[in-house]
Amino acid sequence: MEEILVIDDSEHVSRMLAQTVLPELGYRAAIALTAKSGLERLRARLPDLILLDLQLPDMNGLDFLRILTQEGIDVPVILMTAHGSEMIAVEAFRLGARNYLIKPFSDNEAREVIDQALRERRLQRERDRLLQLLQQRVQELTVLTRVGKSVTTLMDQRQLLDRIVEAAVYMTQADEGILFQYVEQKHELIPLALRNVAVESLDRLRLPVADSLVGQVVRSGKSLRLHRGMTDEPIAITATMVVQATLQTPLQVGDRIIGVLVVNNRRSTRAFSDSDQYLLAALADYAAIALENSRLYQAVQSSEARYRTIFANASDMVLLLDTNWRIISGNQRSAQILAMTPDDLVGHPLQRWCLPQEWPTIAQALQRVAQGLPQPPFTISLQRTAYELATVELNAQRLDANDQPMIVCIGRDLTERRRLEQQLIQSDKLSALGQLVAGVAHELNNPLTSISGYAQLLLRNRTLNEEIRADLEQIRQQAERAGRIVRNLLMFAREHQPERLATQINEVIQSTLALQAYQLRVDNITVQLDLDPELPSTVADPHQLQQVLLNLITNARQAMNERGSGILTIRTRRYEAADGRYIEVSISDNGIGIPAQYLDKVFNPFFTTKPVGQGTGLGLSICYGIIQEHQGQIWIESCEGVGTTVFIRLPIVEASAGAPTPSSTATATDAESGPQQRVLVVDDEEPVLRMLQRLLGELGHQTTVVSDVDSALRELATHPYDLVITDLRMPQKSGFDLSEEIRRSYPHLAERIIFISGDTLSTLKPHQKEQLHGRLLSKPFSIPQLAELLRNLPPRRTD
């Protein structure tokens, strides 16, 4: 509530104003009956407004105003008079009175005059506050300007950094300040400039980045602001420097942190504000510029050649053009992008590398730059070679040198990023396609299981004539062939973690060819295999090797497809070298071959000789990476127009005892499956259920079939069983759900569960894979495989 001082010798009038009129108008009032007491009251505490009677017993109201002016007391005054004159009013206004009231006056008159005076008072205070804030900002900007000017004029780095730290302490009203430089090689912060810091030796302020509060700023790249109120205890900068508040800002050049600017309040408990942080960040930028300028200045002073090397080896293209768009000079990166040497670039028009359909737009943009008009960065395509385009984001600026306008073009090569974006899009498509293929393949395995199973059941009939038996054998073999194709497809479509297994390279080749069999056949490509039957196994990742072979076979097929037909030859052999034993694989084609100038680039990421849009350039790069991970070698020999051979050498690594091996699908001869047992079969596919019921019956077992987990649990609760055969993937509840319930309720059956699945195991968790170890049948399966698994189950527990 605003306070009004009433100075009037009439006690009656003063009390009426102070106790009735002013409180009703919303103001607090104080009373002085003489000019002297009024001045004493003013000198003790200033009110918001003075109501001053013109005639006081000890002083005239105008004289009172003169004293206020002399003493610099700035409070609005409203004169009260019973008989005023125009001359008195003019003099009162000259002496600073804001208005006057003629006695007697009404409440409304008093309200209007007082409100006006206080409103002006408020506006004046707000103006003064804003003026003070503006003056503070001007002062801060003045300091920043002086520091900024020092950055460009002072050559003495020590003096400049001292000035920056001094400004930081002054502008943030801190007790002390320190500027640290980050020495990346030593992972250490060393002090370069101090202000108000008492320290025996600068070495005591050396801080490790890993275990210090200041190092946290380097690690995070963000400012740090703390005060004791946040931590409830003092803040330790070093073992001997404990402060009440700290503000720390990184010195950053590009994406590099080169130091930290720190201000502390060691004695004061004042917390640093957002404004302090903003000002310190500005000073930190100046400090960073100063340090970087010093570094660059020393570099320039030390060697002009070094400067030219930096320019020549800039990571972006830098071209200097004349007004006819001819190249005056270019750096190494420009030469690499344009597939020429820097000297050969000079004199050529930029149009030489631009696509004809893009050149009019490019020329228009360059013309705008030459005229001094604003031109945002634009993207152009540059024809590096007959097979390769480079995508460049060009930023062009006009440069006037010796009254001769030139165009400086800085280009960022976006080729790899654009190709990677396309690759990611293609990867997403392949991922979705892989999921679709996996789902379809899984669905195919169920009917294939039925076809194969029923064919095997019929083949057990000894009364069949040979012709029917031959037909059934064909059905069984084709079902197994389809099953192998499905398994290979699933193996390729599913993502999986890298693994090392005892691997037969010949089997990986056969499974990969099965995926390409149809495409090779329709492309009129003959496959010739020369596989060493005595080839030893080696520890490798069969999935990754299949990816390598699939890429190489696809490349060979595409190279021969341009001729309309061809011969694909794949050989394996053992290779003895001084440094060890190897398996050598060669994939040869008689396609169009690879030009000699590209042979040393074919393993580079994104390099391709295929037309734009027909190749990502990642296939051979991925192959190279996978073979390198296997400690092997891969190289290419090619003759343009004759053909290409890719050689792979993998070290022979013997599997340790107990090492995993790929699951086998070989069909053994029919054998007994052990003594008669009571078997519960759970599968949501009716044909598979019926086939298993008959098959197990043929093997001499008593079988009950159900189509879901809940039915299986009800069956187990009412009848005893010796073992359970369950599908892994079923609606609502899976085979693992059933296994967990059996483990809890029927522990004697926990190790006598056989799982069947038409999917790969790549999506399973490690503990689930462990649970399946030695107890999984992959659809489609053979009778001997099932019989062998039944025989090898652990004996039934009696507990």
Side-chain angles (χ1 to χ4, degrees), residues 21-79:
V21 177
L22 294 178
E24 289 179 357
L25 296 177
Y27 304 111
R28 188 174 67 249
I31 297 173
L33 300 178
T34 64
K36 180 180 179 182
S37 62
L39 285 171
E40 290 174 353
R41 175 68 174 74
L42 284 172
R43 289 163 183 156
R45 193 176 79 179
L46 292 178
D48 296 290
L49 179 69
I50 299 173
L51 290 177
L52 176 65
D53 190 15
L54 181 62
Q55 297 297 331
L56 294 169
D58 55 345
M59 188 181 299
N60 183 281
L62 296 179
D63 293 333
F64 190 91
L65 287 172
R66 291 187 182 93
I67 293 174
L68 292 183
T69 302
Q70 292 170 3
E71 294 189 10
I73 298 175
D74 184 18
V75 179
V77 177
I78 297 174
L79 279 179

Side-chain angles (χ1 to χ4, degrees), residues 432-601:
L433 182 61
Q435 294 179 17
L436 177 63
V437 166
V440 172
H442 177 253
E443 288 302 311
L444 285 176
N445 270 329
N446 284 314
L448 285 175
T449 300
S450 300
I451 294 169
S452 175
Y454 282 114
Q456 292 178 76
L457 285 171
L458 290 173
L459 284 169
R460 293 173 67 87
N461 187 349
R462 304 299 183 185
T463 63
L464 293 175
N465 62 50
E466 290 303 318
E467 184 176 352
I468 294 176
R469 183 175 296 278
D471 292 343
L472 288 172
E473 183 62 29
Q474 280 295 320
I475 292 173
R476 185 191 67 79
Q477 290 178 3
Q478 293 306 311
E480 288 187 359
R481 177 190 174 194
R484 286 193 297 272
I485 292 173
V486 168
R487 278 193 294 272
N488 289 333
L489 198 59
L490 281 169
M491 184 183 300
F492 184 74
R494 292 288 196 187
E495 296 181 0
H496 73 286
Q497 296 297 323
E499 56 185 347
R500 292 292 187 266
L501 308 173
T503 302
Q504 286 288 347
I505 302 299
N506 288 346
E507 291 181 5
V508 177
I509 293 172
Q510 295 282 10
S511 65
T512 306
L513 284 171
L515 291 177
Q516 286 274 309
Y518 172 77
Q519 198 64 51
L520 291 168
R521 189 166 62 253
V522 299
D523 287 345
N524 299 317
I525 294 173
T526 302
V527 178
Q528 294 182 350
L529 295 179
D530 182 11
L531 307 181
D532 183 355
E534 303 297 326
L535 200 67
S537 64
T538 185
V539 173
D541 187 327
H543 306 281
Q544 289 186 334
L545 293 183
Q546 185 182 56
Q547 183 178 1
V548 170
L549 292 168
L550 191 62
N551 276 333
L552 298 180
I553 292 171
T554 300
N555 286 347
R557 178 176 59 78
Q558 292 174 348
M560 292 183 287
N561 195 34
E562 296 192 24
R563 290 188 164 182
S565 64
I567 298 174
L568 175 67
T569 304
I570 302 179
R571 294 184 175 89
T572 60
R573 68 186 184 98
R574 281 177 291 185
Y575 179 81
E576 301 288 341
D579 58 346
R581 298 184 305 138
Y582 292 85
I583 294 172
E584 184 174 281
V585 181
S586 63
I587 298 97
S588 302
D589 67 74
N590 58 348
I592 59 173
I594 302 173
Q597 64 267 31
Y598 299 137
L599 278 177
D600 60 343
K601 302 178 182 178

Side-chain angles (χ1 to χ4, degrees), residues 684-705:
D684 61 319
E685 290 284 335
E686 182 68 21
V688 175
L689 279 179
R690 298 305 166 199
M691 183 274 293
L692 279 170
Q693 188 173 33
R694 283 195 54 192
L695 192 152
L696 290 166
E698 290 277 344
L699 294 175
H701 302 291
Q702 185 179 352
T703 306
T704 301
V705 296

Side-chain angles (χ1 to χ4, degrees), residues 113 177 229 344 363 374 418 425 452 455 460 501 616 632 685 743:
V113 172
D344 291 339
R418 291 290 175 86
I425 293 172
S452 175
R460 293 173 67 87
L501 308 173
T616 63
E685 290 284 335
R743 191 173 299 277

Side-chain angles (χ1 to χ4, degrees), residues 606-664:
F606 302 111
F607 179 83
T608 178
T609 59
K610 297 173 186 176
V612 176
Q614 296 186 20
T616 63
L618 288 172
L620 287 176
S621 174
I622 291 172
C623 294
Y624 181 84
I626 291 174
I627 297 304
Q628 287 292 306
E629 288 179 6
H630 283 76
Q631 308 301 317
Q633 306 161 31
I634 181 172
W635 71 96
I636 291 180
E637 296 177 2
S638 184
C639 182
E640 191 173 7
V642 177
T644 301
T645 300
V646 182
F647 294 91
I648 298 172
R649 280 184 189 160
L650 295 171
I652 298 175
V653 180
E654 296 183 0
S656 59
T661 58
S663 58
S664 174

Side-chain angles (χ1 to χ4, degrees), residues 9 50 76 91 114 134 144 156 174 180 201 248-249 324 359 377 421 491 609 630 635 642 688 729 746 778:
D9 60 334
I50 299 173
E91 180 65 14
I114 291 171
L134 181 60
L144 288 174
D156 187 336
F180 291 95
S201 169
Q248 305 176 5
T249 298
N324 293 319
W359 176 248
E421 289 172 355
M491 184 183 300
T609 59
H630 283 76
W635 71 96
V642 177
V688 175
R729 312 283 188 184
Y746 310 99
S778 295

